[in-house]
């Protein structure tokens, strides 16, 4: 197969591993920086250009779109879709997953376990909003944060009110969420490929920190998940429309709750913690499922 990986940096661990896994299996693979792609949106023959030339046709595209460039990155992925190229995760699904509110709304409709979460805009609602999710301690999250940035724990009601005021002051959209204390700073990352959890790890936050992100010094170990966690992760990825996803779950005293679903999950932490060839499993999935014209969006978004 002729596989294209959209990534801004060839040297990133996940990109390198995907290149390696594809090459090991005898595929042609090319890393293309989506930020340097430009597009021709002409009727009937959409095309993508790169470094002064038109890109060749690929059998499959693996988007690795960073959160800071979602808009441009998904436009490039969508252009591949318009050309009928199979994209491992589609543009609509990537956009959905990048918006925490939209994701939670979609998951809640299907009855997936979630932390009690609220969203509001006008300053008059603060008190009732905090009551809605059970009062302090409370977690406040910027809608488009990643790697733990923009996630705040307010231990008291006063602190929560101040953070709400600050976020409102800068016109930021944010969620307020029940603090799952019983998770004790740990969450579970399930790597879903197709309809299987192929690897899972527990991430434990550093001493004195509640955010378990590896970027914030969390540590990862392989973990055996329960059948309920497994089916929750697989269902969440499916609801978001993602073929490959990193689904983050907290163990709450009302069962597994989903925190977020990531569309470009990092491979380094999970491969090292579990010793599994996740990149290889992603390539195998593509070989089995990639077909020309099989994109679901078909221009109808
Ligand atoms: P990001 O996209 O920045 O990673 P998350 O929603 O995943 O944001 O939150 C970052 C981390 O904060 C999570 O991995 C988890 O450890 C912790 N966390 C987030 N929400 C809650 C919550 N409601 N209760 C307890 N811990 C939470
Ligand atoms: Mg997270």
């Amino acid at each position: 197969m002729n596989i294209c990986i959209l990534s801004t940096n060839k040297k990133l661990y996940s990109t390198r591993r995907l290149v390696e896994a594809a090459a090991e299996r005898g595929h042609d693979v090319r890393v293309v920086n989506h930020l340097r792609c430009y597009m021709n949106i002409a009727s009937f023959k959409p095309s993508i250009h790169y470094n002064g030339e038109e890109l060749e046709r690929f059998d499959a595209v693996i988007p690795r779109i960073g959160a800071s460039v979602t808009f441009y990155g998904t436009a490039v992925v969508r252009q591949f879709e318009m050309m009928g190229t199979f994209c491992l995760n589609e543009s609509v699904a990537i956009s959905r997953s990048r918006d925490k509110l939209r994701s939670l709304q979609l998951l809640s409709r299907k009855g997936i376990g979630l932390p009690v979460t609220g969203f509001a805009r006008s300053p008059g609602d603060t008190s009732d909003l905090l009551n809605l999710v059970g009062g302090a301690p409370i977690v406040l999250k910027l809608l488009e944060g990643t790697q733990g940035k923009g996630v705040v724990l307010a231990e008291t009601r006063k602190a929560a009110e101040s953070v709400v005021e600050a976020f409102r002051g800068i016109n930021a959209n944010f969620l307020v969420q029940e603090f799952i204390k019983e998770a004790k700073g740990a969450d579970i990352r399930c790597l879903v490929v197709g309809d299987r959890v192929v690897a899972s790890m527990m991430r434990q936050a550093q001493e004195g920190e509640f955010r378990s992100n590896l970027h914030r010094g969390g540590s990862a170990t392989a973990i055996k998940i329960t059948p309920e966690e497994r089916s929750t992760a697989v269902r969440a990825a499916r609801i978001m429309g993602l073929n490959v996803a990193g689904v983050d779950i907290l163990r709450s005293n009302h069962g597994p709750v989903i925190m977020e679903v990531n569309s470009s999950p990092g491979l380094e932490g999970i491969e090292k913690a579990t010793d599994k060839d996740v990149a290889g499993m992603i390539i195998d999935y593509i070989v089995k499922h990639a077909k020309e014209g099989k994109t679901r969006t078909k221009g109808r978004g």
Side-chain angles (χ1 to χ4, degrees):
M1 289 184 96
N2 193 10
I3 300 174
C4 168
I5 301 175
L6 293 179
S7 167
T8 52
N9 186 350
K10 277 183 195 195
K11 297 196 184 110
L12 296 175
Y13 178 94
S14 305
T15 309
R16 272 196 290 118
R17 285 285 300 122
L18 288 163
V19 169
E20 213 171 86
E24 267 168 16
R25 287 162 176 75
H27 303 295
D28 290 325
V29 54
R30 178 169 178 192
V31 178
V32 167
N33 180 348
H34 42 279
L35 296 185
R36 290 175 47 207
C37 289
Y38 43 104
M39 297 163 252
N40 186 342
I41 315 183
S43 306
F44 295 118
K45 46 174 200 321
S47 60
I48 301 182
H49 299 253
Y50 189 63
N51 283 344
E53 52 175 281
E54 185 171 342
L55 276 181
E56 67 265 37
R57 277 203 78 81
F58 293 105
D59 301 308
V61 170
I62 306 178
R64 302 277 322 168
I65 309 293
S68 59
V69 294
T70 303
F71 183 80
Y72 199 77
T74 51
V76 174
V77 176
R78 191 159 53 242
Q79 186 78 351
F80 277 110
E81 290 162 13
M82 297 304 113
M83 294 158 57
T85 307
F86 174 87
C87 296
L88 180 60
N89 280 335
E90 291 191 2
S91 56
V92 171
I94 298 171
S95 305
R96 247 183 228 139
S97 73
R98 286 288 153 81
D99 179 337
K100 287 180 204 274
L101 176 65
R102 185 174 175 191
S103 306
L104 294 182
Q105 287 176 312
L106 291 168
L107 296 170
S108 77
R109 181 175 62 180
K110 299 286 181 183
I112 297 279
L114 302 170
V116 179
T117 304
F119 180 66
R121 185 185 163 85
S122 72
D125 309 334
T126 306
S127 179
D128 193 37
L129 180 66
L130 298 181
N131 290 340
L132 203 70
V133 298
I138 218 165
V139 175
L140 300 106
K141 288 185 196 186
L142 291 177
L143 274 197
E144 290 182 7
T146 67
Q147 304 181 348
K149 288 175 230 151
V151 179
V152 181
L153 173 62
E155 314 243 16
T156 64
R157 194 170 181 99
K158 266 265 152 294
E161 284 168 0
S162 312
V163 178
V164 168
E165 249 171 55
F167 281 173
R168 280 191 173 135
I170 55 167
N171 261 328
N173 282 314
F174 60 94
L175 299 173
V176 296
Q177 197 162 69
E178 155 198 25
F179 175 49
I180 310 291
K181 196 172 176 190
E182 59 274 23
K184 299 194 178 76
D187 73 349
I188 298 169
R189 160 61 61 93
C190 300
L191 211 300
V192 177
V193 177
D195 51 13
R196 279 194 330 126
V197 175
V198 299
S200 50
M201 63 175 168
M202 176 173 265
R203 297 177 300 191
Q204 178 68 51
Q206 268 181 351
E207 190 68 30
E209 170 64 70
F210 78 103
R211 294 165 297 182
S212 59
N213 302 65
L214 300 184
H215 286 101
R216 309 215 70 87
S219 57
T221 43
I223 189 185
K224 200 168 158 33
I225 55 173
T226 66
E228 191 187 6
E229 287 160 352
R230 191 171 289 276
S231 73
T232 301
V234 170
R235 284 185 63 211
R238 193 179 306 144
I239 292 165
M240 301 302 295
L242 293 165
N243 292 317
V244 168
V247 181
D248 295 343
I249 292 180
L250 289 174
R251 286 183 165 164
S252 83
N253 51 21
H254 48 96
V257 292
I258 298 259
M259 231 171 357
E260 63 171 344
V261 183
N262 294 278
S263 54
S264 294
L267 300 183
E268 184 166 12
I270 194 108
E271 286 198 340
K272 289 189 174 160
T274 62
D275 221 12
K276 287 193 175 161
D277 177 11
V278 176
M281 293 189 261
I282 291 176
I283 301 296
D284 292 342
Y285 176 88
I286 291 173
V287 170
K288 209 160 157 212
H289 294 89
K291 279 202 193 75
E292 176 110 4
K294 213 185 148 191
T295 73
R296 274 173 296 178
T297 40
K298 293 205 176 69
R300 278 181 249 122

